[in-house]
Amino acid sequence: MASIRTDLKITNNTPLQMVRIWVTDTDNYDWDGVSRPDHNFQNVSLAAYNSREEREELNYWASSAWYTLHMQFQNGDTISFRNDQYDARHDHKREITLHGESAGKYIATQVSGDNWNKITISLRLPTNGWMDKIAGNPLLSELNIPGTHDTCALYGGDLAICQTQTLREQLDAGIRFIDIRCRHIENRFAIHHGIMYQHLMFGGGVRDVCLKFLEDHPRETIIMSVKHEYDDADDTRSFEDTFRWYLEGNESMWYLDENVPRLDEVRGKIVLLRRFKSNLSLGVDATAWKDDATFSIESSYAVLRIQDEYKVPTVFHIGSKWNHVKSLLDRAVDGVHTDWYLNFTSGTSAGAYPYTVAEGSPGIEGLNSRMYSYLEQTASKRIGTIIMDFPNKPIPSLVQRIIATNKFSV
């Protein structure tokens, strides 16, 4: 009988052993021979942060190949889900619905296509408090941190808008690196994206929102990149002086040292990544930022490895942008643990708006979808800080997947 080779890969991206995996309800007529889950995944175990992949032969004439997979963890949790191995012949990137009393504690994500069906099981953590489940000893450079580019850019048309969620909504959704662009005007900071005012001021619209979030979630930290943006107007003091003015009365809530801190040092604090000139030591120094480049900023205090090649001339250059992103992702996996990898997936031009680069267009896969696929290959490896446009589109669970690549304590 004619058959088609497909492969099924199950990844246990949790700190718990799967003590038993078993399969029921297999549609036997859809398979060719014994290469199917009720043989290959029947009564097997899977260690924490490990994968198992098996050849699953499909009948050439099959239109589906359903089975139910059950998993029991060492703590007694049991989950199950129904899946179709025929998905391997179609492109899917999605979250799978789990069943069982423990279903709410886990997230199952699927990437399929090219005759592969890859399913990853991770812990489902509260996105507004996920750092609480991480041991405090790692440096921030060792964590995988979801972030947003031009965090507050919600106004100004297709070329300017980079997000659909407010700052507080992003923080609640798990974003921990924020990119804040400040125009210095009348001794205050107005939030801008280039020329476009974002109907927000730094004090009440950014600083106070972050402080309130940390008051509600004192085990979290927020990394805030502050960039001097657009033209100054009607100021009588320097940008640095105005920033320090914003610190008055709340400086204890900020981490302003020059070195990359450990998580426990900065729980409940805002970590400043400084993209403006300062006469005195003030936060992690990123003033030597290059335009549209992949580059490093090195000092005796911190080493930053940055990819910010944001010029994407047309939608047909989205693949080239992804190559820049993937290159830094690959470097981060085995890079020096003290080096902080900051990887921007954002891009724009008159021929490729930010939402197009992020979400893609017909026949061209966007950066967020490509990132989702990459994560299925690199469970629990370091990828660094990922700074995105529209991270909630087109796959709502992208931020959760980045969070899940960290190693958590149980």
Side-chain angles (χ1 to χ4, degrees):
M1 181 181 294
S3 63
I4 300 168
R5 173 173 180 161
T6 66
D7 291 272
L8 174 62
K9 180 178 181 180
I10 304 294
T11 298
N12 177 13
N13 186 44
T14 80
L16 300 165
Q17 181 186 15
M18 291 179 179
V19 294
R20 183 186 174 213
I21 300 172
W22 71 102
V23 178
T24 62
D25 306 315
T26 306
D27 290 344
N28 292 332
Y29 59 84
D30 290 327
W31 308 85
D32 188 51
V34 297
S35 294
R36 62 191 196 215
D38 56 339
H39 293 272
N40 295 327
F41 286 90
Q42 195 67 277
N43 295 319
V44 299
S45 61
L46 189 56
Y49 299 114
N50 266 270
S51 299
R52 181 185 180 98
E53 55 189 61
E54 295 287 353
R55 174 176 178 169
E56 310 293 4
E57 204 77 13
L58 296 184
N59 185 320
Y60 181 82
W61 304 108
S63 60
S64 65
W66 288 93
Y67 60 96
T68 301
L69 199 69
H70 308 268
M71 300 168 175
Q72 183 177 27
F73 294 88
Q74 66 185 74
N75 62 356
D77 288 348
T78 301
I79 60 174
S80 64
F81 60 88
R82 188 86 169 137
N83 192 247
D84 185 0
Q85 180 58 18
Y86 197 78
D87 286 348
R89 304 198 67 196
H90 300 286
D91 291 330
H92 291 298
K93 295 176 178 66
R94 59 192 177 190
E95 182 177 338
I96 297 173
T97 300
L98 293 174
H99 302 282
E101 292 183 3
S102 307
K105 298 167 64 174
Y106 300 88
I107 179 173
T109 55
Q110 177 189 32
V111 171
S112 63
D114 296 326
N115 290 330
W116 275 89
N117 189 15
K118 301 174 184 178
I119 298 170
T120 298
I121 311 298
S122 306
L123 294 177
R124 184 186 293 278
L125 298 162
T127 55
N128 60 8
W130 62 269
M131 286 180 159
D132 181 42
K133 303 300 182 182
I134 295 180
N137 192 55
L139 297 164
L140 294 188
S141 58
E142 296 179 272
L143 303 181
N144 296 334
I145 299 173
T148 48
H149 156 258
D150 255 301
T151 299
C152 298
L154 278 72
Y155 301 93
D158 289 339
L159 270 173
I161 296 173
C162 298
Q163 308 299 332
T164 59
Q165 297 174 302
T166 66
L167 172 57
R168 179 63 195 237
E169 288 171 341
Q170 291 178 40
L171 295 173
D172 285 334
I175 296 297
R176 291 296 176 270
F177 178 102
I178 60 175
D179 176 21
I180 304 301
R181 312 291 179 99
C182 301
R183 182 188 186 190
H184 197 200
I185 180 169
E186 297 179 352
N187 295 329
R188 300 290 190 275
F189 289 164
I191 305 304
H192 270 241
H193 181 185
I195 194 174
M196 302 304 302
Y197 173 54
Q198 295 302 314
H199 307 283
L200 205 65
M201 300 299 289
F202 181 81
V206 175
R207 179 200 59 189
D208 293 352
V209 170
C210 291
L211 294 178
K212 181 61 169 67
F213 176 81
L214 292 172
E215 178 185 335
D216 295 340
H217 305 284
R219 298 273 296 169
E220 304 300 294
T221 190
I222 298 168
I223 302 112
M224 184 190 295
S225 168
V226 176
K227 180 178 182 288
H228 193 166
E229 186 91 343
Y230 195 51
D231 299 331
D232 294 354
D234 303 319
D235 298 306
T236 60
R237 60 188 178 193
S238 70
F239 190 99
E240 177 188 358
D241 288 340
T242 294
F243 181 80
R244 291 185 183 276
W245 176 77
Y246 278 113
L247 297 179
E248 292 178 6
N250 63 97
E251 188 169 344
S252 64
M253 298 290 290
W254 292 75
Y255 177 86
L256 301 172
D257 289 356
E258 295 181 82
N259 57 297
V260 179
R262 298 187 184 278
L263 179 57
D264 263 355
E265 295 179 72
V266 292
R267 293 193 192 272
K269 294 179 181 289
I270 303 169
V271 178
L272 175 63
L273 184 77
R274 177 171 53 84
R275 293 183 62 183
F276 60 89
K277 294 179 180 178
S278 174
N279 292 321
L280 300 172
S281 171
L282 184 64
V284 179
D285 184 2
T287 53
W289 203 278
K290 295 183 179 180
D291 185 63
D292 189 35
T294 297
F295 59 98
S296 297
I297 299 175
E298 301 185 34
S299 73
S300 56
Y301 298 98
V303 176
L304 308 179
R305 309 292 187 193
I306 301 163
Q307 183 282 126
D308 188 20
E309 303 200 28
Y310 63 87
K311 294 180 182 178
V312 181
T314 71
V315 295
F316 302 106
H317 293 84
I318 289 176
S320 297
K321 169 64 181 180
W322 170 247
N323 290 338
H324 298 310
V325 173
K326 185 178 182 299
S327 178
L328 198 71
L329 287 169
D330 292 342
R331 286 171 57 192
V333 170
D334 298 314
V336 177
H337 76 282
T338 54
D339 291 359
W340 196 350
Y341 288 81
L342 304 171
N343 205 341
F344 285 74
T345 67
S346 51
T348 187
S349 76
Y353 296 149
Y355 71 82
T356 305
V357 175
E359 300 178 46
S361 63
I364 300 175
E365 190 175 26
L367 267 291
N368 289 350
S369 181
R370 294 172 193 246
M371 175 61 66
Y372 198 87
S373 296
Y374 184 91
L375 295 173
E376 292 297 318
Q377 306 168 32
T378 57
S380 304
K381 295 181 181 179
R382 184 174 69 152
I383 56 173
T385 298
I386 311 302
I387 304 155
M388 302 166 282
D389 285 341
F390 306 102
N392 55 327
K393 295 185 176 184
I395 307 170
S397 59
L398 174 57
V399 171
Q400 290 185 52
R401 282 294 295 117
I402 294 172
I403 291 170
T405 57
N406 291 286
K407 290 192 175 181
F408 296 92
S409 55
V410 293

